[in-house]
Amino acid sequence: MTGWEVAGVPVQIRRSARRRTVAVQVTPGAVTLFAPTRVSLAQLREILDARRDWVAGHLAGYAARPPARPAPQSGQRVPCLGEDLTLHLDAARTRPVRIGDTLHLPAQNAEATLTAWTRRACAAPYRALVQEYAARLGAADRLSAVHVSDTRTRWGSCSADGSIRLHWKLSRAPTEVLHYVALHEAAHLLELNHSARYWAHVTRLMPGWPAHRAWLKEYGHTL
């Protein structure tokens, strides 16, 4: 034990004869230095001190995040495409069904069922939204398909063949944020980059887009 800390979090050192480089790993409430056996403690301390601000920043970011979304339960309100739905879990039910503003779910595997239902519910609205923006941009003929995605790192994507994907969790975001991502990807039908010409297309249809992008950066992890 070294007794080293960053922002009150103890630093662990894990050595290996196979390692050739030093790596710093930050996870919620933990900091780990992975190092070759030949690297001295003094050298490791220099590396840690050089990255102290970076480590502290990540620890603060983890601490600021809310706890994981609770498991679905009866009475819980869930945003979906600009509406608030109330969940009702039923042990006798085998498939989900929406009645008015209530979404009835099987009590068993409720979370997986809710995700699957939401992805299906997003398909048609996402397609219509992207088609609308593609048409307003004059790029309707370049759009080949719209899909609902579940990637970990991207809210949306546009491929060279005109296929656009939007993450299903955007259905829980404010409507204007969903619209921004749809426009963002539709604009790539004209410019498959983030050049000044690209942003001109986005700004023409949505001058306030920076606020929506900022919302995603700050609150996207809560969706």
Side-chain angles (χ1 to χ4, degrees), residues 69-78 80 85-99 101-121 168 172:
R69 179 178 292 271
Q73 53 186 321
S74 290
Q76 180 180 345
R77 303 281 287 178
V78 176
C80 182
L85 303 181
T86 300
L87 303 184
H88 179 75
L89 275 59
D90 186 347
R93 183 170 293 280
T94 59
R95 61 183 60 186
V97 61
R98 177 180 175 176
I99 302 176
D101 291 336
T102 301
L103 180 59
H104 299 263
L105 297 173
Q108 186 175 12
N109 298 322
E111 186 167 0
T113 303
L114 174 60
T115 298
W117 181 88
T118 304
R119 292 190 64 167
R120 290 193 298 272
W168 69 267
R172 296 174 174 170

Side-chain angles (χ1 to χ4, degrees), residues 7-62:
V9 176
V11 177
Q12 296 184 342
I13 298 177
R14 295 186 179 179
R15 295 181 180 273
S16 170
R18 295 181 179 180
R19 286 199 67 90
R20 295 187 177 183
T21 60
V22 175
V24 183
Q25 181 186 70
V26 183
T27 55
V31 180
T32 306
L33 278 172
F34 295 92
T37 53
R38 67 179 184 277
V39 178
S40 68
L41 282 177
Q43 290 174 301
L44 290 181
R45 184 57 186 257
E46 289 180 2
I47 293 171
L48 178 63
D49 287 344
R51 307 201 67 182
R52 185 171 294 273
D53 289 345
W54 176 86
V55 172
H58 278 271
L59 289 172
Y62 285 125

